[in-house]
Amino acid sequence: MTPPSPPDRPGTGTPERGAGPGRAVPSAWRPDLPAVLVAAGAFLVTLALLLPGPVHGRSALVPDSGRLSWRLEADSARYLDTATWRTREDAELVRRIDAVGSPAAGSAGRAVWDVRTATTGPDGTLGHLAWRVAVDRSSGEAVRCCGAHVDGDHLARPHGLTLWWPPGAGAAERPLFDPESRTSAPAVPDGADLVSGVPTERYVQTVAATRASEPARPVPARLFDADARGTVGAERWLEVERVYWVEPLTGRVVQLREQRRETLRPEEAGPDGETERVLLAADFQTPPEEAAANAAAADRRALLLRLTSTDLPAALGGAGALLVLVGVLRRAHRPDRRRSSAAGRV
């Protein structure tokens, strides 16, 4: 009977496979920290280079989707009630501009917006207009395409800006399209303002007395001559002064004031009758709470643009460069493992 083998003494057990005299047992894998630092730094530097270009460039464009809405209110307004043909004084009116983006109708470089404008008062709707505009997403200017029209007229040719200013373009005089007169009038820089603490640029546009594009309408002749009978054809004329408060980085209008005067003028004025009758006279303004909400939304988007254009690239680039430098220095000062192992065997 073979006696049992004595227990192994500490340190004299069976060697691991592959181990032998003069051969070290492989240790657990350790990451190459300098290489990791250099790779991470290179990634951050690359990201910093991409943010101001492709990433910021895609953000700093006129949006092609979403909803925009401006609500303007006027008190002490004056208008002609076309149901009774009597003038109403000190009326409270509301003017709304609602726009909906239609990305399916546009393209990568063009945004398409469907816009509805309506003025309402105690007696219902006083006026409305529907139009579609296509704009270049970089310049904000109208282009002819994509079914653009003004109140169904596809021959109308919008020119200049419409709903947005070009993001980050700076204050400058620019043509601004007025869909009711179907003409463009310059929007002139008029200083800077704070709207609910958000910096804005102010622009003023004046549309001189212009005949509206719709055909003449039949109205009672007595509107222009108290002794007249029957009806006459009358044309609507429009005078508007608008003030826009624009957040410059996003190009978004956050506040709007519109001093509007509309009149009816007979196609053929009689020698003794009046030459016009006031149809609407009102000073519309964005309510403070609406302006504050618009300014807050624009400020959030402006923050994103600032981060992607300067702040984040600077931070990421600095952090990446620091990581690369630390990795290189650690590599330069780390002893060579192979030489250390060889020296140990000797």
Side-chain angles (χ1 to χ4, degrees):
M1 183 174 181
T2 305
S5 301
D8 294 335
R9 294 180 182 177
T12 62
T14 304
E16 295 182 21
R17 179 175 297 179
R23 188 168 184 179
V25 177
S27 60
W29 178 83
R30 294 180 182 178
D32 188 343
L33 184 57
V36 171
L37 291 174
V38 171
F43 172 76
L44 292 181
V45 170
T46 302
L47 188 58
L49 294 174
L50 289 175
L51 280 176
V55 177
H56 176 77
R58 291 175 64 88
S59 301
L61 295 173
V62 172
D64 62 350
S65 61
R67 291 178 177 270
L68 293 175
S69 180
W70 294 273
R71 175 187 171 89
L72 309 178
E73 297 178 352
D75 52 12
S76 303
R78 179 186 180 193
Y79 73 96
L80 182 65
D81 182 356
T82 55
T84 62
W85 299 109
R86 294 178 181 274
T87 298
R88 295 188 178 271
E89 307 279 354
D90 297 324
E92 294 183 356
L93 305 181
V94 174
R95 183 168 174 81
R96 288 191 61 92
I97 305 170
D98 296 296
V100 179
S102 181
S107 62
R110 293 177 176 178
V112 177
W113 289 82
D114 292 304
V115 190
R116 291 185 177 274
T117 304
T119 303
T120 57
D123 300 309
T125 301
L126 305 181
H128 63 87
L129 184 70
W131 52 296
R132 166 178 277 198
V133 63
V135 300
D136 182 281
R137 297 188 66 192
S138 297
S139 68
E141 295 200 358
V143 294
R144 290 198 67 193
C145 79
C146 316
H149 68 88
V150 178
D151 221 19
D153 181 6
H154 291 270
L155 297 179
R157 298 191 175 188
H159 172 65
L161 305 180
T162 53
L163 300 172
W164 296 80
W165 262 247
E173 180 178 315
R174 292 182 172 85
L176 181 63
F177 180 65
D178 174 61
E180 290 185 82
S181 63
R182 303 187 191 182
T183 61
S184 295
V188 181
D190 188 42
D193 269 335
L194 289 177
V195 177
S196 296
V198 176
T200 64
E201 295 170 350
R202 188 174 60 248
Y203 293 84
V204 177
Q205 181 198 41
T206 301
V207 179
T210 307
R211 185 175 66 85
S213 56
E214 69 259 20
R217 67 176 81 175
V219 302
R222 58 184 169 81
L223 290 179
F224 309 105
D225 186 342
D227 297 326
R229 297 291 182 268
T231 61
V232 296
E235 300 169 330
R236 184 169 69 95
W237 285 69
L238 173 71
E239 297 176 64
V240 183
E241 181 176 279
R242 299 185 179 98
V243 183
Y244 296 86
W245 285 263
V246 180
E247 198 291 313
L249 282 181
T250 62
R252 178 168 178 171
V253 177
V254 300
Q255 184 171 307
L256 174 61
R257 180 178 184 181
E258 185 173 291
Q259 294 174 289
R260 167 180 290 264
R261 187 174 188 270
E262 300 179 22
T263 59
L264 289 176
R265 298 184 183 182
E267 291 181 294
E268 296 180 3
D272 300 321
E274 297 178 28
T275 58
E276 66 178 20
R277 183 70 178 267
V278 173
L279 182 62
L280 173 67
D283 184 0
F284 292 99
Q285 300 186 54
T286 307
E289 62 276 10
E290 293 272 343
N294 293 339
D299 194 42
R300 288 193 295 269
R301 185 171 179 82
L303 175 61
L304 173 64
L305 293 177
R306 284 193 297 270
L307 288 175
T308 56
S309 65
T310 55
D311 297 353
L312 274 180
L316 293 175
L322 181 61
L323 288 177
V324 170
L325 178 61
V326 171
V328 170
L329 292 177
R330 287 184 66 92
R331 170 71 72 183
H333 291 83
R334 190 179 68 173
D336 192 322
R337 290 182 177 177
R338 288 176 297 180
R339 286 188 297 176
S340 299
S341 299
R345 288 196 298 270
V346 173

